[in-house]
Amino acid sequence: MSSNPGQTLLPIARASISVALGRTIEVAEDAVWLQELGACFVTLTQQGQLRGCIGTLEARRSLLTDVKANALAAAFRDPRFSPLTLQELDVTEIEVSLLSPMQAMSFDSETHALAQLRPGIDGVVLEFERYRSTFLPQVWEQLPTAPEFIAQLKHKAGLPPDFWAENMRLHRYTVSKWTEGGVT
């Protein structure tokens, strides 16, 4: 991987969206590391407000394919938003988050699980039966405490914020992220 993968990944994500909107942009896609398996999220914002965010939790395809697919999905298939338009593209900032492998957490209670979380560092996947949700580490900026973070993660999954069960599963991961206009 290059010393600054964001200089490659961000233009690829923008070009994928641009081409889908009828604007051709040529970008380099020949770096060997782009063919390695990778999992990423692509987040779109406008004036600091979320405009789309879609990603992959586990590496199952090449990073190049994953970035392109998630950029298109964030722009056109995030069910929370209408599809991005060409007029919006120039005021949309793109962020690519490259995920580490998942790490299963071991705990014997919700209190024990909360004590293990690292605010600002951990992304978390919550699973209970058919319910599943995730928050990237960036979400800690809006939900800075572990109880608040997990309560909203449960809500996102469709569970009551105060719900807990013995067979609840949590996995954590970290990200390397790059945002247009600077590395974060």
Side-chain angles (χ1 to χ4, degrees):
M1 195 170 295
S2 76
S3 61
N4 184 356
Q7 291 177 335
T8 302
L9 298 172
L10 290 166
I12 289 170
R14 180 165 289 279
S16 296
I17 296 167
S18 296
V19 167
L21 291 169
R23 185 188 290 170
T24 302
I25 296 179
E26 294 293 323
V27 295
E29 297 181 358
D30 56 349
V32 174
W33 55 268
L34 288 170
Q35 296 310 314
E36 295 172 10
L37 294 181
C40 75
F41 270 71
V42 175
T43 304
L44 309 179
T45 57
Q46 294 175 349
Q47 300 168 344
Q49 298 298 308
L50 183 65
R51 181 57 177 86
C53 182
I54 299 285
T56 307
L57 291 169
E58 297 176 49
R60 298 183 192 275
R61 55 188 173 188
S62 74
L63 183 55
L64 177 63
T65 301
D66 204 56
V67 168
K68 288 178 162 187
N70 291 335
L72 292 172
F76 306 114
R77 291 188 295 283
D78 187 324
R80 299 169 290 183
F81 302 97
S82 60
L84 193 74
T85 65
L86 183 58
Q87 294 72 29
E88 290 179 283
L89 184 59
D90 292 335
V91 298
T92 301
E93 185 175 76
I94 298 173
E95 178 179 278
V96 175
S97 299
L98 185 59
L99 278 64
S100 71
M102 294 286 157
Q103 175 188 20
M105 295 176 62
S106 293
F107 46 85
D108 53 24
S109 67
E110 183 173 16
T111 302
H112 186 211
L114 294 175
Q116 295 179 51
L117 294 177
R118 301 171 298 174
I121 297 171
D122 291 330
V124 179
V125 177
L126 177 142
E127 294 177 292
F128 173 72
E129 295 178 352
R130 63 179 178 87
Y131 301 94
R132 188 175 193 211
S133 63
T134 191
F135 279 150
L136 295 171
Q138 295 89 306
V139 175
W140 288 102
E141 295 167 16
Q142 287 82 45
L143 304 169
T145 68
E148 196 177 12
F149 189 89
I150 292 298
Q152 288 303 311
L153 193 55
K154 289 186 262 187
H155 177 73
K156 181 180 180 186
L159 296 166
D162 60 350
F163 178 83
W164 192 258
E166 263 187 45
N167 55 343
M168 182 87 72
R169 293 188 317 272
L170 296 176
H171 289 80
R172 66 174 155 199
Y173 56 91
T174 58
V175 300
S176 297
K177 68 174 182 152
W178 301 272
T179 302
E180 290 177 326
V183 177
T184 56

